[in-house]
Amino acid sequence: MKRTPLMMIGVALAALCGPLAAATAAADPLTPTGKWSANTDGSAPVPPMGWNSWNAFNSDVDEEKVLASAQALVDTKLRDIGYRYVNIDDGWWLKRRQPDGRLLIRTSHFPSAATGANTSFRPLTDRLHAMGLKAGIYSDIGRNSCGQIYTPDFKNQPEGSVAEREVGLYGHVDQDIRLFFAEWNFDFIKVDGCGARGLPADAPRVKSGLYRALTPLVDMQSLGGSDVAGIRGLYEQVHTALHTHAGDRPYVYSLCLWGAGDVRAWGKDVGNTSRTSDDIQPVWPRMLTNLDTVTHRALYAHPGSWNDPDMLFVGTGDFDAAHLTEARSHFSLWAMVNSPLIIGYDLRKLTPEVLAIFGNADIVALNQDPAGNQAVLAYDSGEVQTFVKTLADGSKGVALFNRTASPAKAVLTAEQLKMLPTADVRLKDLWTKKDQSFRKEVAVTLAPHETLIFRATGTRRLPGGLYLSEQTGRVNPAADGVVVPQPDPTIYQSITPWTGTRGPGEHPQYGGWGGAEADRAPYGKLMRVAGADFDTGIGVLANSRLEVRNQGYARFAAKVGINDSGQPRSGTTVFEVWGDGRLLAKSRPMEFGEAAVPLEAKVAGVRIVELVARGSGATVNTGTPQPATWADAALYK
């Protein structure tokens, strides 16, 4: 078989990754390991919070702007409720010095970096640390940055020869990470992916001689045209270098691959945050797009590895002080889905109204809750959505969201909160601070674009236990059964400002479709087995393995079967429960149309419970594994 340049890069990267990549390829993904495989390196037990320069200043960033923003975090006391990262995005570099390859800082914009021949950010990071803040830096996985490739009016372009303008990590991973973390003492790095995407040989800026070609590893519109192993290998190199050069001090590794390159499956295993979408913009439709890329992915986010629908645009455009309803919705929703709360606003212009949004400590607390459970969709439609998340103290965060520009009526039920409908459910409105209570259900009217957000308390439906769908932060799809990843067709297709209405329009991109879902079957289907509906559980595809962190529970129980969204005569599925690598319980082979059967196991003292669904066939029409349902799956004391 003839090897293309793309394949050759993948082979070379596999060699760079060495035995780890070979072992990963050889391992059976369904073999229980008794270990938690999602990333725990770095320091992101809760989603990171802070400020980033890009949305406010693009690449026109300088020391005065960074320090003014840092001082604003201190003076407004936003720092005290968690906003601690001050992140410098694209535009800080002057060039890569030759022949030693050391990165030089643009000292005309960062005067404190003028420390001699070897410029240094250490004076700036020391100053930020002295303010009780943390410092973040930006780079790209390729040779060149996103600004160099995609920003027509990019200010502060790197200067010099072709080699001097290659400021990205490619070929310099260990050198640059050592510089950023061991020498300059940064705490956070955002690693973009444009350099591994935008410089094919026929790119105008390559043909003009401005940049060298790098065969793209990522095609945003085609997973088949992407070198998944190659792009993952590059990001894993950064992971390894951070582990080496950040030492034992806390750091955050932010992946920015926009849901491409099948990062939906592996980003959680490599970094602390992983972008699920292309760039957000300060317009309502684009906010919907970015939100939609995470709403079906609650099981793919955990303490140490968070979904990232991009930075907050509160304060700008459709979310400015003249659009406070939209701004509150944007902020509330990002808090509920455990997005990093990174402000993208010129804090020198902060108004009391915008500050009141960023500074709502009750809503920040939902985002920073130590249980780390991303909100699950309790109700989903193109008009109204209801998000529910279980908090560490057993209470619930709940948000009712009107996506439309018209008023909408909605009902919140006790069952959606997994609380008893016969007992009082108490709601505290986190914007107005008003309290109310209801039994069974309560009707609300949502203004256009409004989100009502509450903390709810009541009598739990499941005494002495916790449904797995209530503890999404403890459930990791180590293998999710997806054979051919597909774009998510439910993501709102907004007009992008970089193309407008030129061309054929927007297409679904690789935000991730299928795999594991909480309280739904794969592909957003109803959880139903042999005609019996279930409103709680984990829906997966056969040939999947879930890792569940067990914290003091003694028994696991579920009802298992093939979901009715599957097909007849498409093989059987066997459900297995493992504890710390030992088989604890196993079902008989289940066929489509058979009623769900109970499956239980004693798990006292077990650290990692693993739920394996082994399929013997694929659905006739699609070739994908049968949908398998762990209905009513729960851990009991």
Side-chain angles (χ1 to χ4, degrees):
M1 179 174 65
K2 183 179 178 181
R3 291 186 172 184
T4 66
L6 185 64
M7 293 168 63
M8 292 298 289
I9 290 176
V11 170
L13 289 168
L16 284 171
C17 294
L20 175 62
T24 301
D28 176 1
L30 299 187
T31 300
T33 65
K35 297 178 181 178
W36 179 261
S37 62
N39 179 61
T40 55
D41 286 344
S43 181
V46 292
M49 298 173 61
W51 174 87
N52 179 286
S53 60
W54 182 258
N55 286 357
F57 303 116
N58 203 270
S59 59
D60 191 17
V61 60
D62 59 42
E63 190 164 355
E64 186 279 328
K65 292 170 180 173
V66 171
L67 287 174
S69 300
Q71 192 62 51
L73 293 179
V74 175
D75 293 345
T76 60
K77 301 189 184 305
L78 289 175
R79 176 198 63 182
D80 300 340
I81 62 171
Y83 295 93
R84 293 199 174 94
Y85 289 96
V86 176
N87 297 340
I88 304 168
D89 211 283
D90 204 349
W92 61 266
W93 26 42
L94 179 66
K95 63 183 178 181
R96 186 179 292 281
R97 187 171 64 194
Q98 302 298 314
D100 66 348
R102 182 185 174 93
L103 287 169
L104 299 182
I105 302 161
R106 189 177 297 273
T107 55
S108 60
H109 286 56
F110 293 91
S112 71
T115 55
N118 292 337
T119 58
S120 175
F121 268 128
R122 188 60 182 260
L124 179 57
T125 62
D126 283 350
R127 185 166 178 181
L128 291 172
H129 291 153
M131 298 169 72
L133 299 167
K134 295 180 180 292
I137 194 69
Y138 168 94
S139 192
D140 193 283
I141 205 71
R143 295 191 186 106
N144 300 93
S145 75
C146 282
Q148 287 178 291
I149 300 169
Y150 290 115
T151 306
D153 59 345
F154 183 37
K155 296 178 174 62
N156 303 330
Q157 284 271 11
E159 301 173 0
S161 66
V162 170
E164 287 173 324
R165 290 196 299 273
E166 291 179 349
V167 292
L169 289 167
Y170 193 88
H172 297 273
V173 170
D174 194 75
Q175 178 184 21
D176 288 359
I177 296 301
R178 182 191 299 115
L179 180 69
F180 298 155
F181 286 85
E183 186 174 332
W184 290 351
N185 211 26
F186 278 100
D187 311 287
F188 182 115
I189 185 168
K190 172 185 170 183
V191 180
D192 236 327
C194 296
R197 164 190 171 190
L199 292 175
D202 61 352
R205 295 184 183 189
V206 172
K207 293 171 71 174
S208 72
L210 187 64
Y211 306 127
R212 274 198 292 170
L214 179 61
T215 302
L217 300 179
V218 171
D219 184 335
M220 287 288 288
Q221 299 293 345
S222 169
L223 191 62
S226 299
D227 182 349
V228 174
I231 195 66
R232 176 173 180 165
L234 285 179
Y235 276 97
E236 285 179 336
Q237 287 183 45
V238 179
H239 178 117
T240 299
L242 283 165
H243 197 268
T244 301
H245 297 300
D248 294 330
R249 65 188 185 83
Y251 66 85
V252 170
Y253 177 22
S254 173
L255 280 63
C256 187
L257 200 58
W258 336 282
D262 203 29
V263 71
R264 56 147 216 107
W266 57 263
K268 64 182 175 58
D269 304 327
V270 175
N272 297 118
T273 72
S274 181
R275 274 278 294 281
T276 56
S277 61
D278 217 326
D279 289 2
I280 194 170
Q281 299 294 319
V283 294
W284 181 261
R286 194 65 192 172
M287 188 274 284
L288 294 180
T289 296
N290 286 45
L291 173 68
D292 288 352
T293 63
V294 303
T295 54
H296 288 278
R297 304 196 55 74
L299 295 170
Y300 292 77
H302 321 91
S305 54
W306 305 103
N307 288 323
D308 178 8
D310 205 4
M311 294 173 280
L312 290 162
F313 248 125
V314 171
T316 306
D318 287 355
F319 311 102
D320 65 11
H323 301 87
L324 292 177
T325 297
E326 289 78 6
R328 292 187 188 108
S329 282
H330 180 15
F331 187 73
S332 298
L333 294 164
W334 260 232
M336 286 290 289
V337 299
N338 285 355
S339 170
L341 296 182
I342 305 295
I343 297 169
Y345 175 71
D346 185 351
L347 291 174
R348 300 173 302 178
K349 302 176 181 178
L350 195 60
T351 65
E353 294 84 2
V354 173
L355 174 59
I357 294 174
F358 292 134
N360 188 317
D362 287 335
I363 295 176
V364 167
L366 297 184
N367 178 266
Q368 298 289 288
D369 186 76
N373 298 318
Q374 179 179 313
V376 172
L377 276 170
Y379 176 81
D380 190 19
S381 76
E383 299 169 51
V384 172
Q385 292 173 307
T386 301
F387 295 85
V388 177
K389 68 185 299 185
T390 302
L391 305 173
D393 66 358
S395 65
K396 305 278 183 170
V398 56
L400 291 91
F401 171 43
N402 181 4
R403 297 169 64 96
T404 76
S406 300
K409 294 186 181 299
V411 171
L412 174 66
T413 72
E415 295 287 358
Q416 289 170 331
L417 300 172
K418 295 183 172 54
M419 293 179 180
L420 288 181
T422 54
D424 285 344
V425 176
R426 295 169 295 282
L427 299 176
K428 177 183 178 181
D429 187 310
L430 300 186
W431 287 116
T432 67
K433 312 306 179 185
K434 293 180 179 178
D435 296 315
Q436 66 181 101
S437 63
F438 72 93
R439 290 194 176 192
K440 189 176 179 181
E441 63 184 39
V442 61
V444 301
T445 298
L446 298 165
H449 294 169
E450 184 178 26
T451 298
L452 294 178
I453 186 166
F454 306 97
R455 184 180 284 255
T457 55
T459 303
R460 294 181 46 78
R461 190 171 95 189
L462 185 68
L466 201 64
Y467 293 117
L468 292 196
S469 62
E470 294 181 283
Q471 45 186 317
T472 56
R474 296 181 190 167
V475 181
N476 175 46
D480 62 12
V482 174
V483 177
V484 180
Q486 301 175 43
D488 184 346
T490 68
I491 295 171
Y492 186 80
Q493 293 172 227
S494 56
I495 299 172
T496 58
W498 43 89
T499 60
T501 57
R502 302 174 189 87
E506 288 304 297
H507 300 87
Q509 295 182 354
Y510 286 97
W513 187 229
E517 279 220 55
D519 292 345
R520 275 175 171 73
Y523 307 108
K525 300 291 187 179
L526 178 69
M527 193 173 288
R528 173 184 286 170
V529 179
D533 292 350
F534 297 92
D535 70 348
T536 186
I538 305 292
V540 297
L541 295 173
N543 298 324
S544 63
R545 177 171 59 89
L546 305 176
E547 299 164 347
V548 182
R549 279 178 158 161
N550 180 31
Q551 297 180 340
Y553 293 95
R555 183 172 64 93
F556 168 80
K559 298 182 180 72
V560 299
I562 305 300
N563 203 75
D564 285 1
S565 54
Q567 294 178 3
R569 299 177 297 281
S570 296
T572 61
T573 299
V574 175
F575 295 81
E576 302 169 354
V577 182
W578 294 71
D580 292 339
R582 296 180 297 108
L583 181 63
L584 304 179
K586 183 177 179 179
S587 77
R588 60 176 172 78
M590 301 293 296
E591 295 184 354
F592 179 89
E594 291 185 319
V597 299
L599 188 62
E600 297 191 14
K602 295 179 180 179
V603 296
V606 169
R607 294 178 304 104
I608 302 293
V609 177
E610 290 173 90
L611 307 179
V612 178
R614 297 183 188 271
S616 66
T619 55
V620 175
N621 295 332
T622 66
T624 60
Q626 287 275 56
T629 296
W630 296 89
D632 292 342
L635 290 168
Y636 297 83
K637 292 291 185 181

